[in-house]
Amino acid sequence: MGERAYKTMKRAGAYSIVLGVLMVVFGITCGIVSIVSGARLLRRKSDILF
């Protein structure tokens, strides 16, 4: 019984680490895309006609 609990805890810990890494990578990617989009908008602001 105790061994089963340790295996479950080991799996949960591994999944948490993987999920954390994926969230960091996704967050960095979203940040980079946002910065690039903002830079494009600022660069082409003179082309906008109102």
Side-chain angles (χ1 to χ4, degrees):
M1 180 84 178
E3 185 178 328
R4 184 175 174 193
Y6 284 119
K7 284 184 179 181
T8 302
M9 288 171 51
K10 183 179 176 181
R11 266 189 238 130
Y15 288 144
S16 294
I17 290 172
V18 169
L19 185 62
V21 169
L22 289 175
M23 289 175 67
V24 167
V25 170
F26 182 71
I28 290 172
T29 303
C30 284
I32 291 171
V33 168
S34 295
I35 291 171
V36 170
S37 290
R40 280 187 186 160
L41 286 172
L42 287 174
R43 189 172 358 133
R44 301 185 127 216
K45 70 180 179 181
S46 62
D47 296 340
I48 298 173
L49 301 173
F50 286 105

